[in-house]
Amino acid sequence: MHSKIELKDDVTFNTQVELNNDATNIELDLGENTITFDNVNAFMLKKGTLTVKNGKLVNVSASTHFIFTFDANASYARNATLNLTDVEIDATDNERPVYFKSNANAQHSQHTLNLTDVTLNATANSDNRMIYSDGANHATVNIYSGNYTGTCKYLSYNESANVYGGTFTDKNVKNYVADGYKVVTNDNNGRYSVVEDTVVNVTDDLEAVYADGNETYTYRFFAVIADYELYAKAGFKVTAIVSGEEYEWNIELNEVYETVNVNDTDYDAEGYILTGAIGEVPTDDVKFTVVPYVVDFEGNEIEL
């Protein structure tokens, strides 16, 4: 049973809604409006699916009231799913915007929380808990994208917590990243981003192009060498025609690498990696001719 509700204006909410049927499937489209929750445990989730999207939720209730509560029971199955998409949650006046009730005997309860493009600000309480549980539970939390201000530590109370993306104020998000993902630091704002841990296998003639932050582009070149100890140095001879003018570069290298991380991408190879770059290129469609070379200890230059 699928029901769709679309909000037409901002509202204040002071009545509890309970989901307690496996067949229930409610989609709440906020329509870019705001629901303010005033002293109410707004959504009690026992069974079924609730999707909330496209708007803002504000909790001005006392600390004992929550926007979303996942119920737990030792005698009855609890398996609700909550999907939050493109939602801003302001819980700066409340301790627990999302709350998992715990019951050690509720082994057959299995809730799921999915967060996509969510902005969650939880800074009212002493430990800034975004998602709270009062003990171990059997829930799964999946975070796909969004911005999260608050602590991640209560994610450990869940049976499974998987972070696939998003930015966080808590560096401990590193403990919950999904397989194939990693945490990188945003140096400009002190936040931590979860990104895909991409590994590229380097082969000869590999080239990577990425924006360098100055409305220009960096072109990075790669080559592979097996016996680097036989050579004194290496490099790339690069030519290109830009706007009818021919340009030449000789990029001399004194080091080789087993792995390289550039622009949040890991590069690996069966051998050793040579890499050099040309920056501040005005466009990302320049055709470079690249010839890697090595120089032996007698001064002989050898093209690879």
Side-chain angles (χ1 to χ4, degrees):
M1 178 178 63
H2 182 269
S3 301
K4 183 174 182 179
I5 302 169
E6 186 173 354
L7 204 64
K8 297 299 184 181
D9 204 349
D10 296 345
V11 298
T12 297
F13 207 82
N14 54 21
T15 302
Q16 184 179 91
V17 174
E18 180 178 294
L19 273 70
N20 194 20
N21 190 314
D22 287 329
T24 299
N25 188 345
I26 297 175
E27 179 182 332
L28 175 57
D29 187 344
L30 302 176
E32 299 185 359
N33 296 297
T34 298
I35 299 180
T36 300
F37 301 95
D38 188 5
N39 289 314
V40 61
N41 289 321
F43 295 98
M44 178 63 69
L45 307 174
K46 297 181 178 180
K47 299 180 181 181
T49 300
L50 173 64
T51 299
V52 182
K53 64 181 185 179
N54 192 25
K56 185 175 182 179
L57 307 175
V58 179
N59 195 356
V60 297
S61 305
S63 62
T64 55
H65 294 85
F66 325 111
I67 301 178
F68 302 103
T69 300
F70 287 91
D71 190 39
N73 190 288
S75 302
Y76 302 99
R78 297 289 186 252
N79 50 9
T81 297
L82 173 62
N83 303 309
L84 299 179
T85 302
D86 194 17
V87 172
E88 179 182 352
I89 300 177
D90 184 350
T92 54
D93 292 325
N94 181 269
E95 292 196 5
R96 305 169 184 174
V98 181
Y99 174 46
F100 287 93
K101 292 175 66 176
S102 179
N103 188 310
N105 297 316
Q107 299 293 332
H108 49 287
S109 295
Q110 184 64 68
H111 295 299
T112 302
L113 172 63
N114 298 313
L115 304 178
T116 305
D117 293 338
V118 170
T119 298
L120 198 163
N121 187 358
T123 55
N125 51 83
S126 59
D127 51 6
N128 301 332
R129 46 197 176 224
M130 299 184 301
I131 299 169
Y132 181 70
S133 176
D134 54 11
N137 60 66
H138 308 287
T140 297
V141 177
N142 298 311
I143 301 177
Y144 295 100
S145 56
N147 295 282
Y148 302 88
T149 300
T151 183
C152 296
K153 73 176 184 179
Y154 286 94
L155 291 177
S156 64
Y157 283 46
N158 298 286
E159 187 170 284
S160 176
N162 310 293
V163 181
Y164 299 89
T167 62
F168 301 79
T169 55
D170 185 0
K171 65 181 179 181
N172 291 311
V173 66
K174 66 184 179 182
N175 298 323
Y176 310 104
V177 294
D179 290 343
Y181 292 80
K182 64 180 180 181
V183 175
V184 297
T185 303
N186 296 356
D187 293 331
N188 292 333
N189 56 22
R191 298 178 73 92
Y192 303 88
S193 293
V194 176
V195 298
E196 189 171 3
D197 190 7
T198 304
V199 178
V200 176
N201 185 44
V202 175
T203 58
D204 290 338
D205 302 325
L206 178 67
E207 178 181 295
V209 183
Y210 47 88
D212 57 21
N214 300 311
E215 297 185 354
T216 55
Y217 297 87
T218 292
Y219 286 70
R220 179 163 292 277
F221 314 110
F222 297 88
V224 180
I225 185 174
D227 301 318
Y228 75 93
E229 66 275 5
L230 299 179
Y231 306 104
K233 60 182 180 179
F236 295 94
K237 291 186 176 180
V238 183
T239 58
I241 298 177
V242 181
S243 300
E245 295 286 336
E246 183 173 356
Y247 295 86
E248 296 182 358
W249 297 264
N250 182 20
I251 306 172
E252 294 188 350
L253 308 172
N254 295 314
E255 295 185 57
V256 297
Y257 306 91
E258 294 184 356
T259 60
V260 176
N261 180 274
V262 177
N263 200 36
D264 293 332
T265 299
D266 292 323
Y267 295 86
D268 201 354
E270 294 183 5
Y272 294 91
I273 300 172
L274 303 177
T275 183
I278 297 173
E280 298 185 349
V281 181
T283 67
D284 62 353
D285 59 357
V286 176
K287 176 61 177 176
F288 287 94
T289 300
V290 182
V291 179
Y293 68 88
V294 292
V295 178
D296 63 22
F297 288 98
E298 295 178 352
N300 300 308
E301 185 177 288
I302 306 165
E303 292 186 0
L304 296 178

